[in-house]
Amino acid sequence: MKNKAHVLKSLPGVGIHSKIERVDWSNVAQKLNEKGFAVVSKFISASDCKSLIRLYDQSELYRKTVIMERYRFGLGEYKYFDYPLPDSIQTLRENIYSYLAPIANSWMDLLQIEKKFPEKFSELQKLCRENKQTKPTALILKYGVGGFNTLHQDLYGEVYFPIQAAIFLNQPDQDYEGGEFVMTQTVPRAQSKAIVLKPKQGDMIFFTTNFRPMLGSKGYYRVQMKHGVSEIDSGERYTLGIIFHDATS
């Protein structure tokens, strides 16, 4: 087994700061406000995607493996990273948060919710620890033929940040078929709307963890959203999930 410190230091991610800075964050904010999700194309390279996939077999990096069918979550498996996180994933979590926090706080204001998220990621983690949420939630998900993920929300405890991210590590229609990223949007007193996306390898998507504001005739109101993955017809699909709040277990 490789030494964990060696694995952490040997990860890809040189220049990850510049990748984050190059994102059009004003466009991300606009799309999140309008639709509840935003896609950043070609955020990381194909070689970085392959390096992240190779981490899946480095068992010393993970605190927990979940077999989805055991809990009726779907068909497939995912692994939660343990602390300390790999360097590139820690950098993503820390630096992306600072761009998303103002968006999240604007949502709280629009919905007249008396909650304000801290500007710094370290302060969010402190808040999680105070609520006994100490387990990291960054994860890699793996699906094979027939795999899918039921519609859900990644809340994990009393403290949850309303926006999360995912990076797609395989190329659709080349490495796998099917496996679309699916979201549902539920408006009060109306039927749910389905949103189906097919991000490419290296793309990153931001999407709401739980709800988002929507403007109606009487002001803003809360719209519930869930996400999942449609059935894989062939091949394998890997995804890196970046969730900012920690979990109780």
Side-chain angles (χ1 to χ4, degrees):
M1 180 182 293
K2 290 184 180 180
N3 179 272
K4 183 173 180 178
H6 172 74
V7 175
L8 294 177
K9 290 179 181 178
S10 65
L11 284 175
V14 175
I16 198 73
H17 287 278
S18 62
K19 293 178 188 293
I20 295 170
E21 290 174 357
R22 287 199 299 268
V23 171
D24 185 345
W25 289 105
S26 62
N27 182 66
V28 168
Q30 180 184 345
K31 296 299 183 184
L32 279 168
N33 289 332
E34 290 177 353
K35 298 179 177 293
F37 68 90
V39 178
V40 177
S41 299
K42 299 179 181 179
F43 177 69
I44 62 173
S45 67
S47 61
D48 278 351
C49 288
K50 292 176 182 177
S51 295
L52 286 167
I53 289 172
R54 285 195 292 269
L55 292 183
Y56 199 78
D57 294 324
Q58 302 293 332
S59 60
E60 65 272 24
L61 295 178
Y62 301 96
R63 67 175 179 87
K64 184 177 182 179
T65 298
V66 176
I67 308 300
M68 294 185 194
E69 54 265 39
R70 290 181 183 172
Y71 306 94
R72 297 185 178 179
F73 292 165
L75 181 63
E77 66 179 28
Y78 52 89
K79 297 182 180 181
Y80 289 108
F81 286 97
D82 200 358
Y83 283 132
L85 298 179
D87 293 342
S88 56
I89 296 173
Q90 180 67 18
T91 299
L92 285 169
R93 217 173 171 217
E94 289 180 356
N95 289 269
I96 287 175
Y97 174 84
S98 64
Y99 289 97
L100 297 179
I103 303 171
N105 284 327
S106 71
W107 286 8
M108 300 301 104
D109 291 340
L110 291 172
L111 292 170
Q112 299 181 12
I113 297 174
E114 294 184 0
K115 180 182 293 184
K116 185 173 178 63
F117 295 97
E119 294 180 2
K120 295 182 179 180
F121 178 69
S122 59
E123 292 299 312
L124 177 69
Q125 286 201 302
K126 180 181 177 182
L127 184 61
C128 286
R129 288 194 296 270
E130 290 171 354
N131 284 270
K132 304 187 187 308
Q133 294 174 221
T134 60
K135 304 294 186 180
T137 49
L139 72 165
I140 294 184
L141 305 98
K142 176 184 178 181
Y143 304 93
V145 176
F148 67 97
N149 197 347
T150 56
L151 294 167
H152 65 283
Q153 297 173 324
D154 297 308
L155 302 181
Y156 298 118
E158 290 296 320
V159 177
Y160 58 87
F161 189 67
I163 304 169
Q164 62 193 80
I167 300 177
F168 296 83
L169 305 180
N170 299 104
Q171 188 70 288
D173 299 326
Q174 178 177 312
D175 297 322
Y176 68 94
E177 294 183 354
E180 292 84 4
F181 185 76
V182 180
M183 290 177 285
T184 58
Q185 175 178 285
T186 303
V187 177
R189 298 178 298 280
Q191 294 183 345
S192 297
K193 172 185 177 182
I195 302 163
V196 180
L197 303 175
K198 201 171 184 177
K200 295 181 173 59
Q201 185 181 48
D203 289 356
M204 176 167 58
I205 183 172
F206 298 102
F207 55 100
T208 178
T209 303
N210 186 6
F211 59 82
R212 73 178 184 91
M214 179 176 284
L215 182 61
S217 59
K218 298 181 180 179
Y220 284 91
Y221 60 94
R222 187 183 304 200
V223 172
Q224 293 286 332
M225 296 188 73
K226 294 183 178 182
H227 64 278
V229 175
S230 69
E231 186 171 338
I232 309 293
D233 296 322
S234 65
E236 287 187 333
R237 179 189 189 276
Y238 290 83
T239 310
L240 173 67
I242 303 293
I243 299 165
F244 298 96
H245 48 275
D246 284 336
T248 55
S249 61

